[in-house]
Amino acid sequence: MPNIVGMNFSISNNDFDESYLNLKNSLEANEKIKIVAEVNHQANAQSVDLELNPTRIIFFGNPNLGTPLMQKNQLAGLDLPQKILVYQDNQDEVFLSYNNTLYLSSRHDVLEAPTLSMISGALKNLTANAGDNEVVSMPEESTVDNSEGVVTKISKQSFNDTYAKLQGAISGNPNLRIIAEVNHQSNAENVGLELNPTRLIIFGNPNLGTPLMQNAQTTALDLPQKMLVWENADGVVHVSYNDPAYLVKRHGITDNEKIITTITGALNNLSNAAITE
């Protein structure tokens, strides 16, 4: 049984493909939800001649629910849009898992956001329905410190220049692939809500990510990598991302020191490229 800080899960009564298809169909049937990206970690591993059990994650969003979290704290955009992971372990058990709202609210100090209960209910229902089984939650295991595991740097550039330089640094690296770009501010405006400039880039490198998932499959809940560019009310521009050391701690990754060091250096270099004149 997985025991990951902030992760709720369900053991599916359906096989892997049916569980994932049920989840996708439910998301597509809800006109308020938009699927942002689907990532097949197993297929990505195979593309670089590595093996991985069936592992897929789907990113999806509803700006009416997510924007109020970012209005409280833009850093919440690092964990938005929402995502649900479907994976099959070595014992052929199929799990559906997601970050619960207690984890999100404590990590980003948005406990008073009015939409948290609706987000919680939606994630629980989607997961339970996809796997035809109840969701297991361990709230006592879900609270983390404010901004725990988040690296934030202040940019010397404007918001647009910072984002463009980050995007260019990622797309210009032949080892990296941009999975999705999310303009949280634009999405908020589309539903009549206000938000300071906030954009997310999701990107990955299967050569580096796959070994972490081979070691601790739930790491897929925090992969691919993400970087958030945001400008606060005082006009200060920031770049934020998850510290790889935090993923090691959260998912219990072992024996991957060299890869973690490589990922840490890559994220540091990308963020520095974005913030430097």
Side-chain angles (χ1 to χ4, degrees):
M1 299 281 282
N3 185 15
I4 309 301
V5 172
M7 189 184 86
N8 285 5
F9 67 90
S10 174
I11 302 175
S12 182
N13 285 319
N14 302 316
D15 64 24
F16 177 84
D17 290 336
E18 185 177 3
S19 299
Y20 188 83
L21 186 60
N22 286 345
L23 174 61
K24 183 177 179 179
N25 286 342
S26 293
L27 292 170
E28 291 179 333
N30 190 325
E31 61 182 15
K32 295 181 179 179
I33 292 174
K34 177 185 176 183
I35 292 177
V36 175
E38 299 177 68
V39 180
N40 188 330
H41 286 299
Q42 183 186 44
N44 290 341
Q46 292 170 346
S47 73
V48 292
D49 298 321
L50 295 174
E51 294 184 358
L52 184 66
N53 291 333
T55 309
R56 299 186 70 173
I57 190 166
I58 189 164
F59 292 81
F60 58 94
N62 178 347
N64 281 301
L65 300 184
T67 301
L69 274 64
M70 292 179 283
Q71 289 175 328
K72 293 284 185 181
N73 182 2
Q74 283 169 269
L75 262 179
L78 186 60
D79 282 312
L80 297 173
Q82 299 289 344
K83 52 191 180 291
I84 294 178
L85 170 68
V86 185
Y87 68 96
Q88 181 174 309
D89 68 8
N90 291 331
Q91 287 72 47
D92 293 330
E93 282 195 308
V94 176
F95 292 82
L96 297 106
S97 61
Y98 61 90
N99 289 327
N100 63 42
T101 51
L102 184 55
Y103 172 79
L104 295 176
S105 62
S106 62
R107 193 180 192 210
H108 303 298
D109 194 23
V110 294
L111 188 59
E112 296 180 0
T115 56
L116 277 175
S117 61
M118 288 181 281
I119 293 171
S120 178
L123 290 170
K124 183 177 181 179
N125 290 337
L126 286 164
T127 301
N129 292 338
D132 290 327
N133 201 1
E134 64 183 12
V135 171
V136 177
S137 60
M138 293 171 286
E140 69 277 5
E141 302 287 344
S142 296
T143 301
V144 296
D145 292 335
N146 185 22
S147 299
E148 184 169 344
V150 179
V151 177
T152 295
K153 300 178 181 180
I154 295 177
S155 177
K156 299 178 181 179
Q157 311 292 308
S158 68
F159 176 84
N160 289 335
D161 286 346
T162 300
Y163 187 84
K165 292 184 75 173
L166 177 60
Q167 183 191 53
I170 296 171
S171 60
N173 188 322
N175 297 315
L176 301 177
R177 182 168 73 91
I178 293 178
I179 308 299
E181 299 180 61
V182 181
N183 189 329
H184 287 302
Q185 182 188 42
S186 178
N187 291 340
E189 290 172 349
N190 288 340
V191 293
L193 297 174
E194 293 185 357
L195 183 67
N196 292 327
T198 311
R199 297 187 68 175
L200 183 78
I201 301 183
I202 305 171
F203 60 96
N205 178 349
N207 279 303
L208 297 180
T210 301
L212 305 185
M213 292 181 283
Q214 288 172 329
N215 181 256
Q217 203 171 355
T218 60
T219 309
L221 188 59
D222 285 310
L223 294 175
Q225 301 288 344
K226 295 166 291 180
M227 282 196 168
L228 184 75
V229 181
W230 54 286
E231 180 180 326
N232 66 14
D234 296 323
V236 180
V237 178
H238 307 75
V239 175
S240 300
Y241 58 91
N242 287 318
D243 187 344
Y246 177 69
L247 304 191
V248 171
K249 175 185 175 183
R250 186 183 187 202
H251 298 282
I253 299 167
T254 59
D255 302 325
N256 279 277
E257 290 83 2
K258 288 185 179 180
I259 286 179
I260 292 297
T261 298
T262 299
I263 295 173
T264 301
L267 295 175
N268 185 54
N269 290 338
L270 289 169
S271 54
N272 284 342
I275 68 174
T276 305
E277 294 179 352

